[in-house]
Amino acid sequence: MTSPLKVWFEAEGRLLRLRLSRPKANIVDAAMIGALRAALTEHLNNASLGAILLDAEGPHFSFGASVEEHMPAQCAAMLKSIHALVLQLVDSPVPVLVAVRGQCLGGGLEVALAGHMMFVTPDASLGQPELKIGVFAPAASCLLPELIGPQRAIDLLLSGRSISGADAGVMGMAQVAADPEAAALAYFTEHLKTKSASSLRFAVRAARCDYAARVHAKIERVERMYLEELMKSHDAVEGLEAFVGKRAAQWQHR
């Protein structure tokens, strides 16, 4: 089976390119998570690396995580793996730039939010629709309040609505560009490529240390809540089963 992720270097090895490569959905499933984690583990210690650019093949960044892998039998393993990826990105001392087109939803948005800077098209569609199927977005519950403030975060997390890339720019979630890949590359060339990779790492760590510590602490609590409480409720399992079965969920509010 071909890898779900394309990996290569540009700019004389200063820029690591990672591209989700299972269009059009680019589902963040176990294979995609494993490929991303492996690439980061292999290359983050490259002393000359000045930045990472994460983007996606096809018209959409990602439709989200695999709902089938969030069913009770697989949920714990899936959640722990995607949270390990999110924390790996949050902790990265190398700046991670993310370029987003089309839909960027659920687990796909959680991965994008964990990077350092996001570049989006004005008509991109970003959202955390998990509550619509009876669950909540664990990593986004930790990342969004930090990035856009508690009021805007609670709106997106409870409503499950999507916002445009233009709205994401107004909220401070992302920088808006007609061509997000080109904008990210231009940012790297102008602001990062000429800098000392060593000094960049110190600057990233200094800017993110308190933020990273808060996300680590909260994601552990939220993961326990999801696995030990939410997944023991009737409606969470009903919502997932209804989605997979392509039928309307029958909520019992318990």
Coordinates of all heavy atoms in Angstrom, one line a residue, residues 44-131:
L44 N 12.7 15.8 13.0 CA 12.7 17.0 13.9 C 14.1 17.3 14.5 O 14.4 18.4 14.9 CB 11.7 16.8 15.0 CG 10.3 17.2 14.7 CD1 9.4 17.0 15.9 CD2 10.2 18.7 14.3
N45 N 14.9 16.3 14.6 CA 16.3 16.5 15.2 C 17.3 16.9 14.2 O 18.5 17.0 14.5 CB 16.8 15.2 15.9 CG 16.0 14.9 17.2 OD1 15.6 15.8 17.9 ND2 15.8 13.6 17.5
N46 N 16.9 17.1 12.9 CA 17.8 17.6 11.9 C 18.2 19.0 12.3 O 17.4 20.0 12.2 CB 17.1 17.6 10.5 CG 17.9 18.0 9.4 OD1 18.9 18.8 9.6 ND2 17.5 17.6 8.2
A47 N 19.4 19.2 12.6 CA 19.9 20.5 13.1 C 19.8 21.7 12.2 O 19.6 22.8 12.6 CB 21.4 20.4 13.6
S48 N 19.7 21.4 10.9 CA 19.7 22.5 9.9 C 18.3 22.9 9.5 O 18.0 23.8 8.7 CB 20.5 22.2 8.7 OG 20.0 21.1 8.0
L49 N 17.3 22.1 10.0 CA 15.9 22.3 9.6 C 15.4 23.7 10.1 O 15.4 24.0 11.3 CB 15.0 21.2 10.1 CG 13.7 21.0 9.5 CD1 13.8 20.7 8.0 CD2 12.9 19.8 10.2
G50 N 14.8 24.5 9.1 CA 14.3 25.8 9.5 C 12.8 25.9 9.6 O 12.3 26.8 10.3
A51 N 12.1 24.9 9.0 CA 10.7 24.9 9.1 C 10.1 23.7 8.5 O 10.8 23.0 7.8 CB 10.1 26.2 8.4
I52 N 8.8 23.4 8.8 CA 8.1 22.3 8.2 C 6.8 22.9 7.6 O 6.2 23.8 8.2 CB 7.7 21.3 9.3 CG1 8.9 20.6 9.9 CG2 6.7 20.2 8.7 CD1 8.6 19.9 11.2
L53 N 6.5 22.5 6.4 CA 5.3 23.0 5.7 C 4.4 21.7 5.5 O 4.8 20.8 4.8 CB 5.6 23.6 4.4 CG 4.4 24.0 3.5 CD1 3.3 24.8 4.3 CD2 4.8 24.8 2.3
L54 N 3.2 21.8 6.1 CA 2.2 20.7 6.0 C 1.1 21.2 5.2 O 0.5 22.2 5.5 CB 1.7 20.3 7.4 CG 0.6 19.3 7.5 CD1 0.9 18.0 6.9 CD2 0.1 19.2 9.0
D55 N 0.8 20.5 4.1 CA -0.3 20.8 3.3 C -1.0 19.5 2.8 O -0.7 18.4 3.4 CB 0.0 21.7 2.1 CG 1.1 21.1 1.1 OD1 1.3 19.9 1.2 OD2 1.6 21.8 0.3
A56 N -1.8 19.6 1.8 CA -2.6 18.4 1.4 C -2.8 18.3 -0.1 O -3.0 19.4 -0.7 CB -4.0 18.3 2.1
E57 N -2.9 17.1 -0.6 CA -3.1 16.9 -2.1 C -4.6 17.0 -2.3 O -5.4 16.5 -1.4 CB -2.6 15.5 -2.4 CG -2.4 15.3 -3.9 CD -1.7 13.9 -4.1 OE1 -0.5 13.8 -3.5 OE2 -2.2 13.1 -4.7
G58 N -5.0 17.5 -3.4 CA -6.4 17.5 -3.7 C -7.1 18.8 -3.3 O -6.5 19.7 -2.8
P59 N -8.4 18.9 -3.5 CA -9.2 20.1 -3.2 C -9.4 20.4 -1.7 O -9.8 21.5 -1.3 CB -10.5 20.0 -3.9 CG -10.7 18.5 -3.9 CD -9.3 17.9 -4.1
H60 N -9.2 19.4 -0.8 CA -9.5 19.6 0.6 C -8.3 19.2 1.5 O -7.6 18.2 1.1 CB -10.7 18.7 1.0 CG -12.0 19.0 0.2 ND1 -12.7 20.2 0.3 CD2 -12.6 18.3 -0.8 CE1 -13.7 20.2 -0.5 NE2 -13.7 19.1 -1.2
F61 N -8.2 19.9 2.6 CA -7.1 19.5 3.5 C -7.4 18.2 4.2 O -6.7 17.2 4.1 CB -6.9 20.6 4.5 CG -5.8 20.3 5.5 CD1 -4.5 20.6 5.1 CD2 -6.0 19.8 6.7 CE1 -3.4 20.4 5.9 CE2 -4.9 19.5 7.6 CZ -3.6 19.8 7.2
S62 N -8.6 18.1 4.8 CA -9.0 16.8 5.4 C -10.4 16.9 5.9 O -10.9 17.9 6.4 CB -8.1 16.5 6.6 OG -8.6 15.4 7.3
F63 N -11.2 15.8 5.6 CA -12.5 15.7 6.1 C -12.6 15.3 7.6 O -13.7 15.3 8.2 CB -13.3 14.7 5.3 CG -13.7 15.1 3.9 CD1 -13.3 16.3 3.4 CD2 -14.4 14.2 3.1 CE1 -13.7 16.7 2.1 CE2 -14.8 14.6 1.8 CZ -14.4 15.8 1.3
G64 N -11.4 15.0 8.2 CA -11.4 14.7 9.6 C -10.9 13.3 9.9 O -10.3 12.6 9.1
A65 N -11.1 12.9 11.1 CA -10.6 11.6 11.6 C -11.6 10.5 11.1 O -12.7 10.8 10.7 CB -10.5 11.6 13.1
S66 N -11.1 9.3 11.2 CA -11.9 8.1 10.9 C -13.0 7.8 11.9 O -12.6 7.5 13.1 CB -11.0 6.9 10.7 OG -11.8 5.7 10.7
V67 N -14.2 8.0 11.6 CA -15.3 7.8 12.6 C -15.3 6.3 13.0 O -15.5 5.9 14.1 CB -16.7 8.2 12.0 CG1 -17.8 7.8 12.9 CG2 -16.7 9.7 11.7
E68 N -15.1 5.4 12.0 CA -15.1 4.0 12.3 C -14.0 3.6 13.4 O -14.2 2.8 14.3 CB -14.8 3.1 11.1 CG -15.9 3.1 10.1 CD -16.0 4.4 9.2 OE1 -15.1 5.3 9.4 OE2 -16.9 4.5 8.4
E69 N -12.9 4.3 13.4 CA -11.8 4.1 14.3 C -12.1 4.7 15.7 O -11.4 4.6 16.6 CB -10.5 4.6 13.8 CG -10.0 3.7 12.6 CD -8.6 4.2 12.1 OE1 -8.0 5.1 12.6 OE2 -8.2 3.5 11.1
H70 N -13.2 5.5 15.8 CA -13.6 6.1 17.0 C -14.7 5.3 17.7 O -15.3 5.7 18.7 CB -14.1 7.5 16.8 CG -13.0 8.5 16.8 ND1 -12.2 8.7 15.7 CD2 -12.5 9.3 17.8 CE1 -11.3 9.6 16.0 NE2 -11.5 10.0 17.3
M71 N -15.1 4.1 17.1 CA -16.1 3.2 17.8 C -15.4 2.7 19.0 O -14.2 2.6 19.2 CB -16.5 2.1 16.8 CG -17.2 2.6 15.5 SD -18.7 3.6 15.8 CE -19.8 2.2 16.3
P72 N -16.3 2.2 20.0 CA -15.7 1.8 21.3 C -14.6 0.9 21.3 O -13.6 1.0 22.1 CB -17.0 1.2 22.0 CG -18.1 1.9 21.4 CD -17.8 2.2 19.9
A73 N -14.5 -0.1 20.4 CA -13.5 -1.1 20.4 C -12.1 -0.5 20.0 O -11.1 -1.0 20.5 CB -13.8 -2.3 19.5
Q74 N -12.1 0.5 19.2 CA -10.9 1.1 18.8 C -10.6 2.5 19.3 O -9.5 3.1 19.1 CB -10.9 1.2 17.2 CG -11.0 -0.1 16.5 CD -11.1 0.1 15.0 OE1 -12.3 0.1 14.5 NE2 -10.0 0.2 14.3
C75 N -11.5 3.0 20.0 CA -11.5 4.5 20.4 C -10.2 4.8 21.2 O -9.6 5.8 20.9 CB -12.7 4.8 21.2 SG -12.8 6.5 21.6
A76 N -9.9 4.0 22.2 CA -8.8 4.4 23.1 C -7.5 4.5 22.3 O -6.7 5.4 22.4 CB -8.6 3.4 24.2
A77 N -7.2 3.5 21.5 CA -6.0 3.5 20.7 C -5.9 4.7 19.7 O -4.9 5.3 19.6 CB -5.8 2.2 19.9
M78 N -7.1 4.9 19.1 CA -7.1 6.0 18.1 C -6.9 7.4 18.8 O -6.1 8.2 18.3 CB -8.5 6.0 17.4 CG -8.7 7.1 16.4 SD -7.5 7.1 15.1 CE -8.2 8.4 14.0
L79 N -7.6 7.6 19.9 CA -7.5 8.9 20.6 C -6.1 9.1 21.1 O -5.5 10.2 21.0 CB -8.5 8.9 21.7 CG -9.1 10.3 22.1 CD1 -9.8 10.9 21.0 CD2 -10.0 10.1 23.3
K80 N -5.5 8.1 21.7 CA -4.1 8.2 22.2 C -3.1 8.5 21.1 O -2.2 9.3 21.2 CB -3.7 7.0 23.0 CG -4.5 6.8 24.3 CD -4.1 5.6 25.0 CE -4.9 5.4 26.3 NZ -4.8 6.5 27.2
S81 N -3.3 7.9 19.9 CA -2.4 8.2 18.8 C -2.5 9.6 18.2 O -1.5 10.2 17.9 CB -2.6 7.1 17.7 OG -3.8 7.2 17.1
I82 N -3.8 10.0 18.0 CA -3.9 11.4 17.5 C -3.5 12.4 18.5 O -2.9 13.5 18.1 CB -5.4 11.6 17.0 CG1 -5.4 12.9 16.1 CG2 -6.4 11.8 18.1 CD1 -6.7 13.1 15.3
H83 N -3.7 12.2 19.8 CA -3.2 13.1 20.8 C -1.7 13.2 20.8 O -1.1 14.2 21.0 CB -3.8 12.8 22.1 CG -5.3 13.1 22.2 ND1 -6.1 12.8 23.2 CD2 -6.1 13.8 21.3 CE1 -7.3 13.2 23.0 NE2 -7.4 13.8 21.8
A84 N -1.1 12.0 20.6 CA 0.4 12.0 20.6 C 0.9 12.8 19.4 O 1.9 13.5 19.5 CB 0.9 10.5 20.5
L85 N 0.2 12.7 18.3 CA 0.6 13.5 17.1 C 0.4 15.0 17.4 O 1.3 15.8 17.1 CB -0.2 13.1 15.9 CG -0.1 14.0 14.7 CD1 1.3 14.1 14.2 CD2 -1.1 13.5 13.6
V86 N -0.8 15.4 17.9 CA -1.0 16.8 18.3 C 0.0 17.3 19.2 O 0.6 18.4 19.0 CB -2.4 16.9 18.9 CG1 -2.6 18.3 19.6 CG2 -3.5 16.7 17.8
L87 N 0.4 16.6 20.2 CA 1.4 17.0 21.2 C 2.8 17.1 20.6 O 3.6 18.0 20.9 CB 1.4 16.1 22.4 CG 0.1 16.2 23.3 CD1 0.2 15.2 24.4 CD2 -0.1 17.6 23.9
Q88 N 3.1 16.2 19.6 CA 4.3 16.2 18.9 C 4.4 17.6 18.1 O 5.5 18.2 18.1 CB 4.5 15.0 18.0 CG 5.9 14.7 17.5 CD 5.9 13.4 16.8 OE1 4.9 12.8 16.4 NE2 7.1 12.9 16.6
L89 N 3.3 18.0 17.5 CA 3.3 19.2 16.8 C 3.4 20.4 17.7 O 4.1 21.4 17.5 CB 2.1 19.3 15.9 CG 2.0 18.3 14.7 CD1 0.6 18.2 14.2 CD2 3.0 18.8 13.6
V90 N 2.6 20.4 18.8 CA 2.6 21.5 19.8 C 4.0 21.7 20.3 O 4.5 22.8 20.6 CB 1.6 21.2 20.9 CG1 1.8 22.1 22.1 CG2 0.2 21.3 20.4
D91 N 4.7 20.6 20.6 CA 6.1 20.6 21.2 C 7.2 20.9 20.2 O 8.3 21.1 20.6 CB 6.4 19.3 21.9 CG 5.6 19.1 23.2 OD1 5.1 20.1 23.7 OD2 5.4 17.9 23.6
S92 N 6.9 20.8 18.9 CA 7.9 20.9 17.9 C 8.7 22.2 18.1 O 8.2 23.3 18.1 CB 7.3 20.9 16.5 OG 8.3 21.2 15.5
P93 N 10.1 22.1 18.2 CA 10.9 23.3 18.3 C 11.1 23.9 16.9 O 11.6 25.0 16.7 CB 12.2 22.8 18.9 CG 12.3 21.4 18.4 CD 10.9 20.9 18.3
V94 N 10.7 23.2 15.8 CA 10.8 23.7 14.5 C 9.5 24.3 14.1 O 8.5 23.6 14.2 CB 11.2 22.5 13.5 CG1 11.3 23.0 12.1 CG2 12.5 21.9 13.9
P95 N 9.5 25.5 13.5 CA 8.2 26.1 13.2 C 7.4 25.2 12.1 O 8.0 24.8 11.1 CB 8.6 27.4 12.5 CG 9.9 27.7 13.1 CD 10.6 26.4 13.3
V96 N 6.2 25.0 12.4 CA 5.3 24.2 11.5 C 4.3 25.1 10.9 O 3.4 25.7 11.6 CB 4.6 23.0 12.3 CG1 3.7 22.3 11.4 CG2 5.6 22.1 13.0
L97 N 4.4 25.3 9.6 CA 3.5 26.1 8.8 C 2.5 25.1 8.2 O 2.9 24.1 7.6 CB 4.2 26.9 7.7 CG 5.5 27.6 8.2 CD1 6.1 28.4 7.0 CD2 5.2 28.6 9.3
V98 N 1.2 25.5 8.2 CA 0.1 24.6 7.6 C -0.6 25.4 6.6 O -1.1 26.5 6.8 CB -0.8 24.2 8.7 CG1 -1.8 23.2 8.2 CG2 0.0 23.6 9.9
A99 N -0.8 24.8 5.4 CA -1.5 25.5 4.3 C -2.8 24.7 4.0 O -2.8 23.5 3.8 CB -0.6 25.5 3.0
V100 N -3.9 25.4 4.1 CA -5.2 24.8 4.1 C -6.1 25.3 2.9 O -6.2 26.5 2.8 CB -6.0 25.0 5.4 CG1 -7.4 24.5 5.3 CG2 -5.2 24.3 6.5
R101 N -6.6 24.3 2.2 CA -7.6 24.6 1.1 C -8.9 23.8 1.4 O -8.8 22.7 2.0 CB -7.1 24.3 -0.3 CG -6.0 25.1 -0.8 CD -5.6 24.6 -2.2 NE -4.5 25.4 -2.7 CZ -4.6 26.6 -3.4 NH1 -5.8 27.0 -3.6 NH2 -3.6 27.2 -3.8
G102 N -10.0 24.2 0.9 CA -11.2 23.4 1.0 C -11.6 23.1 2.4 O -11.5 23.9 3.3
Q103 N -12.1 21.9 2.6 CA -12.6 21.5 4.0 C -11.5 21.1 4.9 O -10.6 20.3 4.5 CB -13.6 20.4 3.9 CG -14.9 20.8 3.1 CD -16.0 19.8 3.3 OE1 -16.4 19.4 4.4 NE2 -16.5 19.4 2.1
C104 N -11.5 21.6 6.1 CA -10.5 21.2 7.1 C -11.4 21.0 8.4 O -11.7 22.0 9.1 CB -9.5 22.3 7.3 SG -8.2 21.9 8.5
L105 N -11.7 19.8 8.7 CA -12.7 19.5 9.7 C -12.2 18.5 10.7 O -11.3 17.7 10.5 CB -14.0 18.9 9.0 CG -14.6 19.7 7.9 CD1 -15.7 19.0 7.2 CD2 -15.1 21.1 8.4
G106 N -12.9 18.5 11.9 CA -12.6 17.5 12.9 C -11.2 17.3 13.2 O -10.4 18.2 13.5
G107 N -10.7 16.0 13.2 CA -9.4 15.7 13.5 C -8.4 16.4 12.5 O -7.2 16.6 12.9
G108 N -8.8 16.7 11.3 CA -7.9 17.4 10.4 C -7.7 18.8 10.9 O -6.5 19.3 10.8
L109 N -8.7 19.5 11.4 CA -8.5 20.8 11.9 C -7.7 20.7 13.2 O -6.8 21.6 13.5 CB -9.8 21.5 12.2 CG -9.7 22.9 12.7 CD1 -8.9 23.8 11.8 CD2 -11.1 23.5 12.9
E110 N -7.8 19.7 14.0 CA -7.0 19.6 15.2 C -5.5 19.5 14.9 O -4.7 20.1 15.5 CB -7.5 18.4 16.0 CG -8.9 18.5 16.7 CD -9.3 17.3 17.4 OE1 -9.1 16.2 17.0 OE2 -9.9 17.5 18.5
V111 N -5.2 18.7 13.8 CA -3.8 18.6 13.4 C -3.3 20.0 12.9 O -2.2 20.4 13.3 CB -3.7 17.6 12.3 CG1 -2.3 17.6 11.7 CG2 -3.9 16.2 12.9
A112 N -4.1 20.7 12.1 CA -3.7 22.0 11.6 C -3.5 23.0 12.7 O -2.6 23.8 12.7 CB -4.8 22.5 10.6
L113 N -4.4 23.0 13.7 CA -4.4 23.9 14.8 C -3.1 23.7 15.7 O -2.6 24.6 16.3 CB -5.6 23.8 15.7 CG -6.9 24.3 15.2 CD1 -8.1 23.8 16.1 CD2 -6.9 25.8 15.0
A114 N -2.6 22.5 15.7 CA -1.4 22.2 16.5 C -0.1 22.7 16.0 O 0.9 22.8 16.7 CB -1.3 20.7 16.7
G115 N -0.1 23.1 14.7 CA 1.0 23.8 14.1 C 1.2 25.2 14.6 O 0.5 25.7 15.5
H116 N 2.2 25.9 14.1 CA 2.6 27.2 14.6 C 1.8 28.3 13.9 O 1.5 29.3 14.5 CB 4.1 27.4 14.6 CG 4.8 26.5 15.4 ND1 5.1 25.2 15.1 CD2 5.4 26.7 16.6 CE1 5.7 24.6 16.1 NE2 6.0 25.4 17.0
M117 N 1.7 28.2 12.6 CA 1.0 29.2 11.8 C 0.2 28.5 10.7 O 0.7 27.6 10.0 CB 2.0 30.1 11.1 CG 2.8 31.0 12.1 SD 4.0 32.1 11.2 CE 2.9 33.2 10.4
M118 N -1.0 29.0 10.5 CA -1.9 28.4 9.5 C -2.2 29.4 8.4 O -2.5 30.6 8.7 CB -3.2 27.9 10.1 CG -4.0 27.0 9.2 SD -5.7 26.7 9.8 CE -5.4 26.3 11.5
F119 N -2.1 29.0 7.1 CA -2.5 29.9 6.0 C -3.7 29.2 5.3 O -3.6 28.1 5.0 CB -1.3 30.0 5.0 CG 0.0 30.6 5.7 CD1 0.8 29.8 6.5 CD2 0.3 31.9 5.5 CE1 1.9 30.3 7.0 CE2 1.4 32.5 6.1 CZ 2.3 31.7 6.9
V120 N -4.7 30.0 5.1 CA -6.0 29.4 4.5 C -6.5 30.3 3.4 O -6.3 31.5 3.3 CB -7.1 29.3 5.6 CG1 -6.6 28.4 6.7 CG2 -7.5 30.7 6.1
T121 N -7.2 29.6 2.4 CA -7.9 30.4 1.4 C -9.1 31.0 2.0 O -9.7 30.5 3.0 CB -8.4 29.5 0.3 OG1 -9.2 28.4 0.8 CG2 -7.2 28.8 -0.4
P122 N -9.6 32.2 1.5 CA -10.8 32.8 2.0 C -12.0 31.9 2.1 O -12.9 32.0 3.0 CB -11.0 34.0 1.1 CG -9.7 34.3 0.4 CD -9.0 32.9 0.3
D123 N -12.1 31.0 1.1 CA -13.3 30.2 1.0 C -13.1 28.8 1.6 O -14.0 27.9 1.4 CB -13.8 30.0 -0.5 CG -12.7 29.4 -1.3 OD1 -11.6 29.2 -0.9 OD2 -13.0 29.0 -2.5
A124 N -12.0 28.6 2.3 CA -11.9 27.3 3.0 C -13.0 27.1 4.1 O -13.6 28.1 4.5 CB -10.5 27.3 3.7
S125 N -13.2 25.9 4.5 CA -14.3 25.6 5.5 C -13.7 24.9 6.6 O -13.2 23.8 6.5 CB -15.4 24.8 4.8 OG -16.4 24.5 5.7
L126 N -13.7 25.5 7.8 CA -13.0 25.0 9.0 C -14.0 24.7 10.1 O -14.9 25.6 10.4 CB -11.9 25.9 9.5 CG -10.7 26.1 8.6 CD1 -11.0 27.2 7.5 CD2 -9.5 26.6 9.4
G127 N -14.0 23.6 10.7 CA -15.0 23.3 11.8 C -14.7 22.1 12.6 O -13.9 21.2 12.2
Q128 N -15.4 22.0 13.7 CA -15.3 20.8 14.6 C -16.7 20.3 14.8 O -17.4 20.7 15.7 CB -14.7 21.2 16.0 CG -13.3 21.8 15.9 CD -12.3 20.8 15.6 OE1 -11.1 21.2 15.2 NE2 -12.6 19.5 15.7
P129 N -17.2 19.4 13.8 CA -18.6 19.0 13.8 C -18.9 17.8 14.7 O -20.0 17.2 14.6 CB -18.8 18.6 12.3 CG -17.4 18.1 11.9 CD -16.4 19.0 12.7
E130 N -17.9 17.5 15.6 CA -18.1 16.2 16.4 C -19.4 16.2 17.2 O -20.0 15.1 17.3 CB -16.9 16.1 17.3 CG -15.6 15.6 16.7 CD -14.8 16.8 16.1 OE1 -15.3 17.9 16.0 OE2 -13.6 16.6 15.8
L131 N -19.8 17.3 17.7 CA -21.0 17.2 18.6 C -22.3 16.9 17.8 O -23.2 16.4 18.4 CB -21.2 18.6 19.3 CG -22.0 18.5 20.7 CD1 -21.2 17.6 21.6 CD2 -22.2 19.9 21.2

